[in-house]
Amino acid sequence: MAPAAYDFHYTPNTVCVMEASGHLGSTLVQRLLQRGYTVHVVIQNNGHLKLNKLCGDYNKKLKIFKADPFDYHSIVEALRGCSGLFYTFEAPQDQTTYDEFTAEEEVRAAHNVLEACAQTEKIDKVVFTSSATAVFWRDDHNSTSSYFDERHWSDINFCRKYKLWYGLAKTLAEKTAWALAMDRGLNMVSINGGLLMTPDLSIRNQYLKGALEMYEDGIFVTADIDFLVDSHICVFEDASSYGRYLCFNSVLNKPEDAFKFASMITHCAPSLPPSSNEQETRIIQPKISSKKLNKLMLESGSRSQR
């Protein structure tokens, strides 16, 4: 069950959401508007904005830009007057697969966006949306001592070896963003989210490459949209936030849940395995932690109650 929206302390300001065409971006825009922010909404030329209703409800607080993450000048224009940026990379809609070329594109886009932020004097904080797949893909992930948190990074060579292009793209793009942020003195935090559970989720989702291995290793984590959006807003509004934050509110680690998930993404109903088989009914111990984010959200929520 999704947790209630957090009521963090905040000062309404002007922020930019890039890219706002997807589930995360459009929901984030809606929540920010409801909290009193003025929002610069960035969509790509081929993006389909899901905020038609909001354009009427928040006409004076919503400004839409068509910008290309590979076009530095269009990014600068969208950021003008903003004190913060929520950035996530959305692959072109006609691109159905991830490969090395996609990884290169994502890295280039991250570089352009962070460079544009560095040239925009008023940007106080950047919230960079990354992925849990930038944390746990390594050749030692089967070790019984492995326990992943935001201090870990996926191994680039491991991702290339097993063609885990989505994890490779997220890892390289986030590393590029961090390097540039530190070099330019930008205040950046990253959200390394689990698989986003959306109504249109399908087996073609690139996050799911290696899903069986994730499940067996206790690192198959998911996040619902409300929790993911709350997490983004929390790390932006809380002055004490820093570094990376693993973000998920569910771990897929029971056979019945795994079969329900498989049924959902394949639109069929596989039968459950025989309960007499201990191997097929065991609960897998999670080996991944989001304690850092949970602590921040709890403390931020407590401060807002005072």
Coordinates of all heavy atoms in Angstrom, one line a residue, residues 34-67:
Q34 N 1.0 21.6 -6.9 CA 0.1 21.6 -5.8 C 0.7 22.2 -4.5 O 0.0 22.7 -3.6 CB -0.4 20.2 -5.5 CG -1.3 19.6 -6.6 CD -1.6 18.1 -6.5 OE1 -0.8 17.4 -5.7 NE2 -2.5 17.6 -7.2
R35 N 2.0 22.1 -4.5 CA 2.8 22.6 -3.3 C 3.2 24.0 -3.4 O 3.8 24.6 -2.6 CB 4.0 21.7 -3.1 CG 3.7 20.3 -2.7 CD 5.0 19.4 -2.6 NE 5.8 19.8 -1.5 CZ 5.6 19.4 -0.2 NH1 4.5 18.7 0.1 NH2 6.4 19.8 0.8
G36 N 2.8 24.7 -4.5 CA 3.0 26.1 -4.7 C 4.1 26.5 -5.5 O 4.4 27.7 -5.6
Y37 N 4.8 25.6 -6.1 CA 5.9 25.9 -7.0 C 5.5 26.5 -8.3 O 4.4 26.1 -8.8 CB 6.8 24.7 -7.2 CG 7.7 24.3 -6.1 CD1 7.2 23.3 -5.2 CD2 8.9 24.8 -5.9 CE1 8.0 22.9 -4.1 CE2 9.7 24.3 -4.8 CZ 9.3 23.4 -3.9 OH 10.0 23.0 -2.9
T38 N 6.3 27.3 -8.9 CA 6.1 27.6 -10.3 C 7.1 26.7 -11.0 O 8.2 26.5 -10.6 CB 6.6 29.1 -10.6 OG1 5.7 30.0 -9.9 CG2 6.6 29.4 -12.1
V39 N 6.6 26.0 -12.1 CA 7.3 25.0 -12.7 C 7.6 25.2 -14.2 O 6.6 25.5 -15.0 CB 6.6 23.6 -12.6 CG1 7.4 22.5 -13.1 CG2 6.3 23.3 -11.1
H40 N 8.8 25.1 -14.6 CA 9.2 25.1 -16.0 C 9.2 23.6 -16.4 O 10.0 22.8 -15.9 CB 10.6 25.7 -16.2 CG 10.6 27.2 -16.0 ND1 11.7 28.0 -16.5 CD2 9.7 28.1 -15.5 CE1 11.4 29.2 -16.2 NE2 10.3 29.3 -15.6
V41 N 8.3 23.3 -17.3 CA 8.1 21.9 -17.8 C 8.9 21.7 -19.1 O 8.6 22.5 -20.0 CB 6.6 21.6 -17.9 CG1 6.5 20.2 -18.5 CG2 5.9 21.7 -16.6
V42 N 9.8 20.8 -19.1 CA 10.6 20.5 -20.3 C 10.1 19.2 -20.9 O 10.1 18.2 -20.3 CB 12.1 20.5 -20.0 CG1 12.8 20.2 -21.3 CG2 12.5 21.8 -19.4
I43 N 9.7 19.3 -22.2 CA 9.4 18.1 -22.9 C 10.2 18.1 -24.2 O 10.6 19.1 -24.8 CB 7.9 18.0 -23.3 CG1 7.5 19.2 -24.1 CG2 7.1 17.8 -22.1 CD1 6.1 19.1 -24.7
Q44 N 10.5 16.9 -24.7 CA 11.2 16.7 -26.0 C 10.3 17.0 -27.1 O 9.1 16.9 -26.9 CB 11.9 15.4 -26.1 CG 13.0 15.1 -25.0 CD 13.6 13.8 -25.2 OE1 13.8 13.3 -26.3 NE2 14.0 13.2 -24.1
N45 N 10.8 17.2 -28.3 CA 10.0 17.5 -29.4 C 9.0 16.4 -29.8 O 7.9 16.6 -30.3 CB 10.9 17.8 -30.7 CG 11.6 19.1 -30.5 OD1 11.1 20.0 -29.9 ND2 12.8 19.2 -31.1
N46 N 9.4 15.1 -29.4 CA 8.6 14.0 -29.7 C 7.8 13.5 -28.5 O 7.2 12.5 -28.5 CB 9.4 12.8 -30.3 CG 10.4 12.3 -29.3 OD1 10.7 12.9 -28.3 ND2 10.9 11.1 -29.6
G47 N 7.9 14.3 -27.4 CA 7.2 13.9 -26.2 C 5.7 14.2 -26.2 O 5.3 15.1 -26.9
H48 N 5.0 13.5 -25.4 CA 3.5 13.7 -25.3 C 3.2 14.1 -23.9 O 3.3 13.3 -23.0 CB 2.7 12.4 -25.7 CG 1.3 12.6 -25.4 ND1 0.5 13.5 -26.1 CD2 0.4 12.0 -24.5 CE1 -0.8 13.4 -25.7 NE2 -0.8 12.5 -24.7
L49 N 2.9 15.4 -23.7 CA 2.7 15.9 -22.4 C 1.4 15.4 -21.8 O 0.3 15.4 -22.4 CB 2.7 17.5 -22.4 CG 2.7 18.2 -21.1 CD1 3.9 17.8 -20.3 CD2 2.6 19.7 -21.3
K50 N 1.4 14.9 -20.5 CA 0.3 14.3 -19.9 C -0.4 15.3 -18.9 O -1.0 14.9 -17.9 CB 0.7 13.1 -19.2 CG 1.2 12.0 -20.1 CD 1.7 10.8 -19.3 CE 2.2 9.7 -20.2 NZ 2.7 8.5 -19.5
L51 N -0.2 16.6 -19.2 CA -0.6 17.6 -18.2 C -1.6 18.6 -18.7 O -1.7 19.8 -18.4 CB 0.6 18.4 -17.7 CG 1.8 17.6 -17.1 CD1 3.0 18.5 -16.9 CD2 1.3 17.0 -15.8
N52 N -2.5 18.1 -19.6 CA -3.4 19.0 -20.3 C -4.3 19.7 -19.3 O -4.6 20.9 -19.4 CB -4.3 18.2 -21.3 CG -3.4 17.8 -22.5 OD1 -2.5 18.4 -22.8 ND2 -3.8 16.6 -23.0
K53 N -4.8 19.0 -18.3 CA -5.7 19.5 -17.3 C -5.0 20.6 -16.4 O -5.5 21.6 -16.1 CB -6.2 18.4 -16.4 CG -7.2 18.9 -15.3 CD -7.8 17.7 -14.5 CE -8.8 18.2 -13.5 NZ -8.1 19.1 -12.4
L54 N -3.7 20.3 -16.1 CA -3.0 21.2 -15.3 C -2.7 22.5 -16.0 O -2.5 23.6 -15.4 CB -1.6 20.6 -14.9 CG -1.7 19.4 -13.9 CD1 -0.4 18.8 -13.6 CD2 -2.4 19.8 -12.6
C55 N -2.6 22.5 -17.3 CA -2.4 23.7 -18.1 C -3.5 24.7 -17.8 O -3.2 25.9 -17.8 CB -2.3 23.4 -19.6 SG -0.8 22.5 -20.0
G56 N -4.7 24.2 -17.5 CA -5.8 25.1 -17.2 C -5.8 25.5 -15.7 O -5.9 26.6 -15.3
D57 N -5.6 24.5 -14.9 CA -5.7 24.7 -13.4 C -4.6 25.5 -12.9 O -4.7 26.3 -11.9 CB -5.7 23.3 -12.7 CG -6.9 22.5 -13.0 OD1 -7.9 23.1 -13.5 OD2 -6.9 21.3 -12.6
Y58 N -3.4 25.4 -13.5 CA -2.2 26.2 -12.9 C -1.6 27.0 -14.1 O -0.4 27.0 -14.2 CB -1.2 25.2 -12.4 CG -1.7 24.4 -11.2 CD1 -2.2 23.1 -11.4 CD2 -1.6 24.9 -9.9 CE1 -2.7 22.4 -10.3 CE2 -2.0 24.1 -8.8 CZ -2.6 22.9 -9.0 OH -3.0 22.1 -8.0
N59 N -2.4 27.7 -14.8 CA -2.0 28.4 -16.0 C -0.8 29.4 -15.7 O 0.1 29.5 -16.5 CB -3.2 29.1 -16.6 CG -2.8 29.7 -18.0 OD1 -2.0 29.1 -18.7 ND2 -3.5 30.7 -18.4
K60 N -0.9 30.1 -14.5 CA 0.0 31.1 -14.2 C 1.3 30.5 -13.6 O 2.3 31.3 -13.5 CB -0.6 32.1 -13.3 CG -1.7 32.9 -13.9 CD -2.3 33.9 -12.9 CE -3.4 34.7 -13.5 NZ -4.0 35.7 -12.5
K61 N 1.3 29.3 -13.2 CA 2.5 28.7 -12.5 C 3.1 27.6 -13.4 O 4.0 26.9 -12.9 CB 2.1 28.1 -11.2 CG 1.8 29.2 -10.1 CD 1.5 28.5 -8.8 CE 1.5 29.6 -7.7 NZ 2.8 30.2 -7.4
L62 N 2.7 27.5 -14.6 CA 3.2 26.4 -15.5 C 3.7 27.0 -16.8 O 3.0 27.7 -17.5 CB 2.1 25.4 -15.7 CG 2.5 24.2 -16.5 CD1 3.5 23.3 -15.7 CD2 1.3 23.3 -16.9
K63 N 5.0 26.8 -17.1 CA 5.6 27.3 -18.3 C 6.2 26.1 -19.1 O 7.0 25.4 -18.5 CB 6.6 28.3 -18.1 CG 7.1 29.0 -19.4 CD 7.9 30.2 -19.0 CE 8.4 30.9 -20.3 NZ 9.2 32.1 -20.1
I64 N 5.8 25.8 -20.3 CA 6.2 24.7 -21.0 C 7.3 25.0 -22.0 O 7.2 26.0 -22.8 CB 5.0 24.0 -21.8 CG1 4.0 23.6 -20.7 CG2 5.5 22.8 -22.6 CD1 2.7 23.0 -21.3
F65 N 8.4 24.2 -22.0 CA 9.5 24.4 -23.0 C 9.6 23.1 -23.8 O 9.6 22.0 -23.2 CB 10.8 24.7 -22.2 CG 10.8 26.0 -21.5 CD1 10.2 26.1 -20.3 CD2 11.4 27.1 -22.1 CE1 10.2 27.3 -19.6 CE2 11.4 28.3 -21.4 CZ 10.8 28.4 -20.1
K66 N 9.9 23.2 -25.0 CA 10.3 22.1 -25.8 C 11.8 22.2 -26.0 O 12.3 23.0 -26.7 CB 9.6 22.1 -27.2 CG 8.2 21.6 -27.2 CD 7.6 21.4 -28.5 CE 6.2 20.8 -28.5 NZ 5.6 20.6 -29.8
A67 N 12.5 21.3 -25.3 CA 14.0 21.3 -25.3 C 14.5 20.0 -25.5 O 13.9 18.9 -25.2 CB 14.5 21.8 -23.9

